[in-house]
Amino acid sequence: MKVLNTVARVATYAKKRYVAQQHRKFIDNHAAELRSTPTGESRYAVALHFADDMVNAYQIRQWYEPLKNLAQHVPVVIIVRQPEAAVALHKECPLPIHFAPTIEALEQFTESQDLRLVLYVNQNIRNFQMMRFNSPNHVFICHGESDKAYMWSNQLKAYDYVFSAGQAARDRLTEHLRNFDVMDRTVLIGRPQIDVQYPVPYKINHDYPTVLYAPTWEGDRPSMAYGSVLSHGEQLVDALQNDGGFNIIFRPHPRSGMNSHAYGQALERIRNKFESSAASSTAKYIYDESAQWGWQWSAADICITDISAVAYDYLATGKPMFITEPVSREATVEDSLALTKLPAMPADEAANAAQLVRSALKTVNKESRALVHHYFGDVTPGASMKRFIDECLNLVKGTTPNKSPGHQPGSLKVHSKSEAESEHTRKTA
C-alpha cells in the first residue's frame, strides 16, 4: 500500500511539473502579449491587480464587462501574478493581460506606464506589493456586496478609497471599523454588473418557474461558516424535485469542498440527483458550473442562497428570495436590514422548500424597493455602470470622487489622455 501511495505521489508531482513546464513555455512564447508595455499616449492609465490562482477567477470575471466599458475611455490592463492564471486569463479575458510574477517585474511595468488608478477585487497579501507605489489611487472594489464579516476587514484602511454599492455598506463600515472616515474614504457606485445583459447558456423549460439555489462555500474559519449545502441542500433539492413543478439552477460556490470533504461529497450527491432525473423530468435541473455569473439573475424567478454576495446581487433584481440560516453558532451573523427584512429559511424548513417557494412567488414584498435602494442606490438601467465609470475617470483625472450618497452620475463623455495630463501630474513611485 505504501508503495502504491508513493507511486501515486510521484505521478502527481510529475504531472504538476509537466503542466508547470508547459505553462512556462507558453509564457515564454507569448511574452510580447503577456508582458505588453505600451508607451507614449497609449500607456495604461488603469490596472486591476489580480494576484490569485484561477480558483478565485470568479472574483475577477464579474468585473470584465464594467472594465470593458471603462476601457472605452482610458487604457485598462489586468496585472496577473501567477503563471497559471496568466495563461488561463490570456485565453478568456477580453482585456490585456500583463504577467508580473516578481516585485522587480511589477516595478518595471509600473515605471513604464502612467497608472492613475489600481483596482483590487480581494485581500490577497500580495496586493501590498502593488500598493507600495504612491502615484496611482488604490481602490478596493471587492467581488460582491454581502453581510459577511469579510466586508468590514481592517485591511480596507490600506486603500485610498473603497468603492461600495450603497448606504448599507457605509453603515456596516461605520459600525465595525475604528479610525476610518467612512464618508471620506468610501464612494458609492451601486452594482455595475446589474447593467450587463448576459446570454443564458442553458435551455430552460419556461412552463415552470425557475429556482436558483446558489449556496456559498463552507468557509475557511468558524466565523465564515455560512454554507448551506450540508445543512439544507439535499433536503431542499429533494423537495423541489419531488414536487416536479420547478426548474432548478444549482450554482455552488467555486471554492465549495476545498476545506471540507463532506461538503464536496454532498455536492456530488446533488449532481447525481440531477443526472439521474434528467431523462424522466420535463423540468430542467441544471448543475451550473458555467464561468459567467450574471445570466442566472434573469433566468430565475426566485433565489435561495446563503449570507453571501449572491444574496445582494439577486436582491437588486427585486425578485423574491430566501436566505438560509447558518446552523453553526460560530458564524458571524449581523442584524442587517437585509437579513431582517428578507425571509429566512432555517434548516428544519428545507424539506418544505416547494411550498415556501410557491407561496413566495405569489407574495409581493412591499419593502423590496426601499431595501434595494438602501443597498444599491439608483438601480435604473445604466445608472450603476455610469457611476462606476464616472468615479474611475475622476480618479484618473486627479479629481476627488463624488462621495455624496445620493449624487447623480455625470456625463460619460470621453476624457482624452491630453485632458488627463493637464489635470494630473504623475509622481515618481
Side-chain angles (χ1 to χ4, degrees), residues 331-391:
T332 302
V333 179
E334 293 294 305
D335 291 329
S336 69
L337 195 61
L339 296 182
T340 302
K341 299 293 185 182
L342 294 173
M345 182 178 288
D348 58 10
E349 287 292 320
N352 299 322
Q355 297 95 309
L356 293 171
V357 165
R358 192 166 278 111
S359 175
L361 289 170
K362 297 176 182 178
T363 304
V364 176
N365 186 345
K366 296 179 181 179
E367 296 180 315
S368 63
R369 180 176 295 182
L371 195 60
V372 169
H373 189 271
H374 180 66
Y375 277 89
F376 298 99
D378 181 10
V379 293
T380 55
S384 291
M385 187 72 78
K386 214 172 181 188
R387 291 202 296 274
F388 170 69
I389 294 174
D390 279 348
E391 300 304 354

Coordinates of all heavy atoms in Angstrom, one line a residue, residues 331-391:
A331 N -20.8 31.1 13.3 CA -20.8 32.0 12.1 C -21.3 33.4 12.6 O -22.2 33.6 13.3 CB -21.8 31.4 11.1
T332 N -20.5 34.4 12.1 CA -20.9 35.8 12.4 C -22.1 36.2 11.6 O -22.1 36.3 10.4 CB -19.7 36.7 12.1 OG1 -18.5 36.3 12.8 CG2 -20.0 38.2 12.4
V333 N -23.2 36.5 12.3 CA -24.4 37.0 11.7 C -24.8 38.3 12.3 O -25.0 38.5 13.5 CB -25.6 35.9 11.9 CG1 -26.8 36.4 11.3 CG2 -25.1 34.6 11.4
E334 N -24.9 39.3 11.4 CA -25.3 40.6 11.8 C -26.8 40.9 11.6 O -27.4 40.3 10.8 CB -24.5 41.7 10.9 CG -23.1 41.7 11.1 CD -22.7 42.2 12.5 OE1 -23.1 43.3 12.9 OE2 -22.0 41.4 13.2
D335 N -27.4 41.7 12.4 CA -28.8 42.1 12.3 C -28.9 43.2 11.3 O -29.3 44.3 11.5 CB -29.3 42.6 13.7 CG -29.4 41.5 14.7 OD1 -29.6 40.3 14.2 OD2 -29.3 41.7 15.9
S336 N -28.5 42.9 10.0 CA -28.5 43.9 9.0 C -30.0 44.0 8.5 O -30.8 43.2 8.8 CB -27.6 43.4 7.8 OG -28.2 42.3 7.2
L337 N -30.2 45.1 7.7 CA -31.6 45.4 7.2 C -32.0 44.2 6.3 O -33.2 43.8 6.4 CB -31.6 46.7 6.5 CG -33.0 47.3 6.2 CD1 -33.7 47.5 7.5 CD2 -32.8 48.5 5.4
A338 N -31.1 43.7 5.5 CA -31.5 42.7 4.5 C -31.9 41.4 5.3 O -32.9 40.7 5.0 CB -30.4 42.4 3.6
L339 N -31.0 41.0 6.3 CA -31.3 39.8 7.0 C -32.5 39.9 7.9 O -33.2 38.9 8.2 CB -30.1 39.4 7.9 CG -28.8 39.1 7.1 CD1 -27.7 38.7 8.0 CD2 -29.0 38.0 6.1
T340 N -32.9 41.1 8.2 CA -34.1 41.4 9.0 C -35.4 41.4 8.1 O -36.4 40.8 8.4 CB -34.1 42.7 9.7 OG1 -32.9 42.7 10.5 CG2 -35.3 43.0 10.6
K341 N -35.3 41.9 6.9 CA -36.4 42.1 6.0 C -36.7 41.0 5.1 O -37.8 40.7 4.7 CB -36.3 43.4 5.2 CG -36.2 44.7 6.0 CD -37.4 45.0 6.8 CE -37.4 46.3 7.5 NZ -38.6 46.6 8.3
L342 N -35.6 40.3 4.6 CA -35.8 39.2 3.7 C -36.2 37.9 4.4 O -35.7 37.6 5.5 CB -34.5 38.9 2.9 CG -34.1 40.1 1.9 CD1 -32.8 39.8 1.3 CD2 -35.2 40.3 0.8
P343 N -37.1 37.0 3.8 CA -37.4 35.8 4.5 C -36.3 34.9 4.7 O -35.5 34.7 3.8 CB -38.5 35.2 3.6 CG -38.3 35.9 2.3 CD -37.8 37.2 2.6
A344 N -36.2 34.3 5.9 CA -35.1 33.3 6.2 C -35.6 31.9 5.9 O -36.8 31.6 6.0 CB -34.7 33.5 7.6
M345 N -34.7 31.0 5.7 CA -35.0 29.6 5.6 C -34.2 28.8 6.6 O -33.0 28.5 6.3 CB -34.8 29.0 4.2 CG -35.2 27.6 4.1 SD -35.0 26.9 2.4 CE -36.4 27.7 1.5
P346 N -34.7 28.4 7.8 CA -34.0 27.6 8.7 C -33.8 26.2 8.1 O -34.5 25.8 7.2 CB -34.9 27.5 9.9 CG -35.9 28.6 9.7 CD -36.0 28.8 8.3
A347 N -32.8 25.5 8.6 CA -32.5 24.1 8.1 C -33.7 23.2 8.3 O -34.0 22.4 7.4 CB -31.3 23.5 8.9
D348 N -34.5 23.3 9.3 CA -35.6 22.4 9.5 C -36.8 22.7 8.6 O -37.8 22.0 8.6 CB -36.1 22.4 11.0 CG -36.5 23.8 11.5 OD1 -36.6 24.7 10.7 OD2 -36.7 23.9 12.7
E349 N -36.7 23.8 7.8 CA -37.7 24.2 6.8 C -37.3 23.8 5.4 O -38.1 23.9 4.5 CB -38.0 25.6 6.9 CG -38.8 26.1 8.1 CD -40.2 25.5 8.1 OE1 -40.9 25.5 7.0 OE2 -40.7 25.1 9.1
A350 N -36.1 23.3 5.2 CA -35.6 23.0 3.9 C -36.5 21.9 3.2 O -36.7 22.0 2.0 CB -34.2 22.5 3.9
A351 N -37.0 21.0 3.9 CA -37.9 19.9 3.4 C -39.2 20.5 2.9 O -39.9 19.8 2.1 CB -38.1 18.8 4.4
N352 N -39.6 21.7 3.3 CA -40.8 22.4 2.8 C -40.5 23.4 1.8 O -41.4 24.3 1.5 CB -41.5 23.0 4.0 CG -41.9 22.1 5.1 OD1 -42.3 20.9 4.9 ND2 -41.7 22.5 6.4
A353 N -39.4 23.3 1.1 CA -39.0 24.3 0.1 C -40.0 24.5 -1.0 O -40.2 25.7 -1.4 CB -37.6 23.9 -0.5
A354 N -40.6 23.5 -1.5 CA -41.6 23.6 -2.6 C -42.7 24.5 -2.2 O -43.1 25.4 -2.9 CB -42.1 22.3 -3.1
Q355 N -43.3 24.3 -1.0 CA -44.4 25.1 -0.5 C -44.0 26.5 -0.2 O -44.7 27.5 -0.6 CB -45.0 24.5 0.8 CG -45.6 23.1 0.6 CD -44.6 22.0 0.9 OE1 -43.5 22.0 0.4 NE2 -45.1 21.0 1.8
L356 N -42.8 26.7 0.4 CA -42.3 28.0 0.7 C -42.1 28.8 -0.6 O -42.5 30.0 -0.7 CB -41.0 27.9 1.5 CG -41.2 27.4 2.9 CD1 -39.8 27.1 3.5 CD2 -42.0 28.3 3.8
V357 N -41.5 28.2 -1.6 CA -41.2 28.9 -2.9 C -42.5 29.2 -3.6 O -42.7 30.4 -4.1 CB -40.4 28.0 -3.8 CG1 -40.3 28.5 -5.2 CG2 -38.9 27.9 -3.2
R358 N -43.4 28.3 -3.6 CA -44.7 28.6 -4.3 C -45.5 29.7 -3.7 O -46.0 30.6 -4.3 CB -45.6 27.3 -4.4 CG -46.8 27.4 -5.3 CD -47.4 26.1 -5.6 NE -46.7 25.3 -6.6 CZ -46.0 24.3 -6.4 NH1 -45.9 23.8 -5.2 NH2 -45.3 23.7 -7.4
S359 N -45.4 29.8 -2.3 CA -46.1 30.9 -1.6 C -45.4 32.2 -1.9 O -46.0 33.3 -2.1 CB -46.1 30.6 -0.1 OG -46.6 31.6 0.6
A360 N -44.0 32.2 -1.9 CA -43.3 33.4 -2.1 C -43.5 34.0 -3.5 O -43.5 35.2 -3.6 CB -41.8 33.2 -1.8
L361 N -43.7 33.1 -4.5 CA -43.9 33.6 -5.8 C -45.2 34.4 -6.0 O -45.4 35.1 -6.9 CB -43.8 32.4 -6.8 CG -42.4 31.8 -7.0 CD1 -42.6 30.5 -7.8 CD2 -41.5 32.8 -7.8
K362 N -46.1 34.1 -5.0 CA -47.4 34.8 -5.1 C -47.5 36.0 -4.2 O -48.5 36.7 -4.1 CB -48.5 33.8 -4.6 CG -48.7 32.6 -5.5 CD -49.7 31.6 -5.0 CE -49.8 30.3 -5.8 NZ -50.8 29.4 -5.2
T363 N -46.4 36.3 -3.4 CA -46.4 37.3 -2.4 C -45.6 38.5 -2.9 O -44.5 38.3 -3.5 CB -45.8 36.8 -1.1 OG1 -46.6 35.7 -0.7 CG2 -45.9 37.9 -0.1
V364 N -46.1 39.7 -2.8 CA -45.4 40.9 -3.1 C -44.8 41.5 -1.9 O -45.5 41.8 -0.9 CB -46.4 42.0 -3.8 CG1 -45.6 43.3 -4.1 CG2 -47.0 41.4 -5.0
N365 N -43.5 41.7 -1.9 CA -42.8 42.3 -0.8 C -42.8 43.8 -1.0 O -42.0 44.3 -1.8 CB -41.3 41.7 -0.7 CG -40.6 42.2 0.5 OD1 -41.0 43.2 1.2 ND2 -39.5 41.6 0.8
K366 N -43.6 44.5 -0.3 CA -43.8 45.9 -0.4 C -42.5 46.7 0.0 O -42.4 47.9 -0.4 CB -45.0 46.4 0.4 CG -46.3 45.8 -0.1 CD -47.5 46.3 0.8 CE -48.8 45.7 0.3 NZ -49.9 46.1 1.1
E367 N -41.6 46.1 0.7 CA -40.5 46.8 1.2 C -39.2 46.6 0.3 O -38.2 47.2 0.6 CB -40.1 46.3 2.6 CG -41.2 46.6 3.7 CD -40.8 46.1 5.0 OE1 -40.3 45.0 5.1 OE2 -40.9 46.9 6.0
S368 N -39.4 45.8 -0.7 CA -38.2 45.4 -1.5 C -37.6 46.6 -2.2 O -36.4 46.7 -2.3 CB -38.6 44.4 -2.6 OG -39.6 44.9 -3.5
R369 N -38.4 47.6 -2.7 CA -37.9 48.7 -3.4 C -37.0 49.6 -2.5 O -35.9 50.0 -2.9 CB -39.0 49.6 -4.0 CG -38.5 50.8 -4.8 CD -39.6 51.6 -5.4 NE -40.3 50.8 -6.5 CZ -41.3 51.2 -7.2 NH1 -41.7 52.5 -7.0 NH2 -41.8 50.5 -8.1
A370 N -37.5 49.8 -1.3 CA -36.7 50.6 -0.4 C -35.4 49.9 0.1 O -34.3 50.5 0.2 CB -37.5 51.0 0.9
L371 N -35.5 48.6 0.2 CA -34.4 47.7 0.5 C -33.3 47.8 -0.6 O -32.1 47.9 -0.3 CB -34.8 46.3 0.8 CG -33.9 45.3 1.5 CD1 -33.5 45.9 2.9 CD2 -34.5 44.0 1.6
V372 N -33.7 47.6 -1.8 CA -32.8 47.7 -2.9 C -32.1 49.0 -3.0 O -30.9 49.1 -3.2 CB -33.5 47.4 -4.3 CG1 -32.6 47.8 -5.4 CG2 -34.0 46.0 -4.4
H373 N -32.8 50.1 -2.7 CA -32.2 51.5 -2.8 C -31.2 51.6 -1.6 O -30.1 52.2 -1.8 CB -33.3 52.5 -2.6 CG -32.7 53.9 -2.9 ND1 -32.2 54.7 -1.8 CD2 -32.6 54.7 -4.0 CE1 -31.8 55.8 -2.3 NE2 -32.0 55.9 -3.6
H374 N -31.5 51.0 -0.5 CA -30.6 51.1 0.7 C -29.2 50.4 0.4 O -28.2 50.9 0.8 CB -31.2 50.5 1.9 CG -30.4 50.5 3.1 ND1 -30.0 51.7 3.8 CD2 -29.8 49.5 3.8 CE1 -29.3 51.4 4.8 NE2 -29.1 50.1 4.9
Y375 N -29.3 49.3 -0.4 CA -28.1 48.6 -0.7 C -27.4 49.0 -1.9 O -26.2 48.8 -2.0 CB -28.4 47.1 -0.7 CG -28.5 46.4 0.6 CD1 -29.6 46.4 1.4 CD2 -27.3 45.9 1.2 CE1 -29.7 45.8 2.7 CE2 -27.3 45.3 2.5 CZ -28.5 45.3 3.2 OH -28.6 44.8 4.5
F376 N -28.1 49.5 -2.9 CA -27.5 49.8 -4.2 C -27.7 51.2 -4.7 O -27.2 51.6 -5.8 CB -28.0 48.8 -5.3 CG -27.7 47.4 -5.0 CD1 -28.6 46.5 -4.4 CD2 -26.4 46.9 -5.2 CE1 -28.3 45.2 -4.1 CE2 -26.1 45.6 -5.0 CZ -27.1 44.7 -4.4
G377 N -28.6 52.0 -4.1 CA -28.9 53.3 -4.6 C -29.8 53.2 -5.9 O -30.6 52.3 -6.0
D378 N -29.5 54.1 -6.8 CA -30.3 54.1 -8.0 C -30.0 52.9 -8.9 O -28.8 52.7 -9.3 CB -30.0 55.4 -8.8 CG -30.8 55.5 -10.1 OD1 -31.8 54.7 -10.3 OD2 -30.5 56.4 -10.9
V379 N -31.0 52.0 -9.2 CA -30.7 50.9 -10.0 C -31.5 50.9 -11.3 O -31.7 49.9 -12.0 CB -31.1 49.6 -9.2 CG1 -30.2 49.3 -8.1 CG2 -32.6 49.6 -8.8
T380 N -31.9 52.1 -11.7 CA -32.5 52.2 -13.1 C -31.4 51.8 -14.1 O -30.2 52.0 -13.8 CB -32.9 53.7 -13.4 OG1 -31.8 54.6 -13.2 CG2 -34.1 54.1 -12.5
P381 N -31.8 51.2 -15.2 CA -30.8 50.7 -16.2 C -29.7 51.6 -16.5 O -30.0 52.8 -16.9 CB -31.7 50.3 -17.4 CG -33.0 50.0 -16.8 CD -33.2 51.0 -15.6
G382 N -28.5 51.2 -16.4 CA -27.3 52.0 -16.7 C -26.8 52.9 -15.6 O -25.7 53.4 -15.7
A383 N -27.5 53.1 -14.5 CA -27.1 54.0 -13.5 C -25.9 53.6 -12.8 O -24.9 54.4 -12.5 CB -28.3 54.3 -12.5
S384 N -25.8 52.3 -12.4 CA -24.6 51.8 -11.7 C -23.4 51.8 -12.5 O -22.3 52.2 -12.1 CB -24.9 50.4 -11.2 OG -25.9 50.4 -10.1
M385 N -23.5 51.4 -13.8 CA -22.4 51.4 -14.7 C -21.8 52.8 -14.9 O -20.6 53.0 -14.9 CB -22.7 50.8 -16.0 CG -21.6 50.6 -17.0 SD -20.5 49.2 -16.5 CE -21.5 47.8 -17.0
K386 N -22.7 53.7 -15.0 CA -22.3 55.1 -15.2 C -21.6 55.6 -14.0 O -20.6 56.3 -14.1 CB -23.6 55.9 -15.4 CG -23.4 57.1 -16.4 CD -24.8 57.7 -16.6 CE -24.6 58.9 -17.6 NZ -25.8 59.6 -17.8
R387 N -22.1 55.3 -12.8 CA -21.4 55.8 -11.6 C -20.0 55.2 -11.5 O -19.0 55.9 -11.1 CB -22.2 55.4 -10.3 CG -23.5 56.2 -10.2 CD -24.0 56.3 -8.8 NE -24.4 55.0 -8.2 CZ -25.5 54.4 -8.4 NH1 -26.5 55.0 -9.1 NH2 -25.8 53.2 -7.8
F388 N -19.9 53.9 -11.8 CA -18.6 53.2 -11.7 C -17.6 53.9 -12.7 O -16.4 54.2 -12.3 CB -18.7 51.8 -12.1 CG -17.4 51.0 -12.3 CD1 -16.5 50.8 -11.2 CD2 -17.0 50.6 -13.6 CE1 -15.3 50.2 -11.4 CE2 -15.8 50.0 -13.8 CZ -14.9 49.8 -12.7
I389 N -18.0 54.1 -13.9 CA -17.1 54.7 -14.9 C -16.8 56.2 -14.5 O -15.6 56.6 -14.6 CB -17.7 54.7 -16.3 CG1 -17.8 53.2 -16.7 CG2 -16.8 55.4 -17.3 CD1 -18.5 53.0 -18.0
D390 N -17.8 57.0 -14.1 CA -17.5 58.3 -13.8 C -16.5 58.5 -12.6 O -15.6 59.3 -12.7 CB -18.8 59.0 -13.3 CG -19.7 59.5 -14.5 OD1 -19.2 59.5 -15.6 OD2 -20.9 59.8 -14.3
E391 N -16.7 57.6 -11.6 CA -15.8 57.7 -10.4 C -14.4 57.3 -10.8 O -13.4 57.8 -10.3 CB -16.3 57.0 -9.2 CG -17.7 57.5 -8.8 CD -17.7 59.0 -8.4 OE1 -16.7 59.6 -8.5 OE2 -18.9 59.4 -8.2

